[in-house]
């Protein structure tokens, strides 16, 4: 028997014009929801010089979070601290479930006429981590993968599970040097692994905490204008 496809995640949608030729699936951080980045993207849109884009902001499921003593909140996957050296232990089944949910959203866009090569996976914090995880494993080439204030989850399995089709896909990572939520050391470790694995990584860092700044938005705009031409 064929396993049932995951139900599509509810999402907020923002279009920059009619009949969008591109899609950006933008994943929120832990405890937020799909509305979180809509105002920021509205600020970003006037700087884009590309054909119409559909921005999708899905809502993560509500689940108990080990890092917050089992508190129920919107989260893409469960995780906890592994050791005092800032290592994280992800709950792999919940990570894979969200990966499959993102793949289902991509499949819907493809059915609607948007090629995978015209789709960007983006996210902030835990959403950026999921964008990296799902994007690098997606079996067809994507336009790009963007991870803001994030890190690479389940790094030990990337070599075996990474998609050859996305080995040359542009990866944009940006981080605040004063980030104490996702410490810079986690992002730098992920950066090093991705570069050593051969991914074309574009790296940016800013004098900010766990947030987004105007300089970062300018860099995001330039990157989107490049990968979605």
């Amino acid at each position: 028997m064929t396993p049932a496809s995951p139900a599509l995640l509810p999402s907020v949608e923002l279009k920059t014009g009619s009949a969008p030729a591109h899609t950006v699936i933008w994943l929120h951080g832990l405890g937020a929801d799909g509305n979180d980045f809509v105002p920021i993207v509205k600020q970003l849109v006037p700087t884009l010089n590309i054909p119409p884009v559909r921005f999708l902001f899905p809502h993560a499921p509500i689940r108990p979070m080990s890092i917050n003593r089992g508190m129920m909140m919107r989260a893409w996957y469960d995780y906890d601290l592994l050791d005092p050296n800032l290592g994280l232990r992800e709950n792999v089944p919940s990570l894979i479930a969200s990966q499959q949910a993102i793949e289902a959203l991509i499949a819907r866009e493809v059915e609607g006429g948007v090629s995978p090569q015209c789709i960007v996976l983006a996210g902030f914090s835990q959403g950026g981590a999921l964008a990296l995880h799902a994007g690098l494993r997606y079996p067809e080439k994507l336009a790009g993968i963007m991870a803001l204030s994030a890190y690479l989850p389940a790094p030990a399995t990337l070599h075996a599970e990474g998609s050859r089709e996305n080995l040359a896909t542009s990866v944009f990572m940006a981080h605040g040097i004063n980030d104490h939520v996702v410490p810079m050391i986690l992002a730098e470790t992920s950066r090093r692994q991705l570069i050593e694995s051969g991914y074309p990584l574009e790296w940016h860092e800013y004098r900010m905490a766990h947030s987004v700044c105007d300089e970062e938005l300018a860099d995001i705009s330039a990157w989107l204008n490049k990968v979605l031409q």
Side-chain angles (χ1 to χ4, degrees), residues 57-129:
F57 307 91
H59 303 298
I62 297 174
R63 67 175 82 244
M65 284 300 299
S66 298
I67 193 70
N68 288 332
R69 299 182 178 181
M71 183 182 298
M72 300 294 291
M73 60 181 60
R74 290 198 181 276
W76 296 110
Y77 55 89
D78 185 31
Y79 72 93
D80 205 348
L81 287 178
L82 181 61
D83 58 46
N85 296 319
L86 299 176
L88 298 180
R89 178 180 58 229
E90 294 91 8
N91 177 290
V92 174
S94 63
L95 180 61
I96 292 175
S98 282
Q99 174 188 346
Q100 293 171 341
I102 298 309
E103 290 173 350
L105 282 179
I106 295 174
R108 186 188 68 172
E109 293 304 297
V110 172
E111 289 171 3
V114 179
S115 164
Q117 295 188 30
C118 295
I119 295 175
V120 167
L121 278 187
F124 175 79
S125 194
Q126 195 189 51

Side-chain angles (χ1 to χ4, degrees), residues 199-212:
Y199 292 99
L201 179 68
E202 182 173 327
W203 171 265
H204 298 269
E205 53 188 67
Y206 311 95
R207 293 188 178 278
M208 65 178 187
H210 195 63
S211 59
V212 178

Side-chain angles (χ1 to χ4, degrees), residues 3-206:
S5 300
L8 283 177
L9 294 167
S11 304
V12 179
E13 181 175 323
L14 171 66
K15 294 191 291 186
T16 64
S18 60
H22 304 298
T23 300
V24 177
I25 300 174
W26 199 305
L27 311 177
H28 63 78
L30 178 64
D33 66 19
N35 294 288
D36 198 34
F37 268 80
V38 173
I40 290 175
V41 170
K42 285 182 176 179
Q43 180 182 343
L44 173 68
V45 164
T47 69
L48 298 179
N49 185 28
I50 52 180
V53 180
R54 175 186 292 106
F55 287 90
L56 288 180
F57 307 91
H59 303 298
I62 297 174
R63 67 175 82 244
M65 284 300 299
S66 298
I67 193 70
N68 288 332
R69 299 182 178 181
M71 183 182 298
M72 300 294 291
M73 60 181 60
R74 290 198 181 276
W76 296 110
Y77 55 89
D78 185 31
Y79 72 93
D80 205 348
L81 287 178
L82 181 61
D83 58 46
N85 296 319
L86 299 176
L88 298 180
R89 178 180 58 229
E90 294 91 8
N91 177 290
V92 174
S94 63
L95 180 61
I96 292 175
S98 282
Q99 174 188 346
Q100 293 171 341
I102 298 309
E103 290 173 350
L105 282 179
I106 295 174
R108 186 188 68 172
E109 293 304 297
V110 172
E111 289 171 3
V114 179
S115 164
Q117 295 188 30
C118 295
I119 295 175
V120 167
L121 278 187
F124 175 79
S125 194
Q126 195 189 51
L130 178 59
L132 285 173
H133 182 85
L136 297 176
R137 289 163 173 78
Y138 191 70
E140 297 183 68
K141 189 179 188 317
L142 298 170
I145 302 166
M146 181 170 67
L148 311 179
S149 303
Y151 75 102
L152 177 68
T157 64
L158 178 60
H159 178 73
E161 297 175 357
S163 163
R164 293 182 61 85
E165 284 73 12
N166 280 298
L167 187 59
T169 296
S170 179
V171 179
F172 182 101
M173 287 189 73
H175 217 86
I177 61 175
N178 300 316
D179 192 334
H180 299 298
V181 176
V182 179
M184 177 66 88
I185 187 172
L186 283 179
E188 288 179 333
T189 299
S190 300
R191 170 195 182 189
R192 184 164 55 251
Q193 178 176 349
L194 292 174
I195 291 173
E196 291 174 353
S197 298
Y199 292 99
L201 179 68
E202 182 173 327
W203 171 265
H204 298 269
E205 53 188 67
Y206 311 95

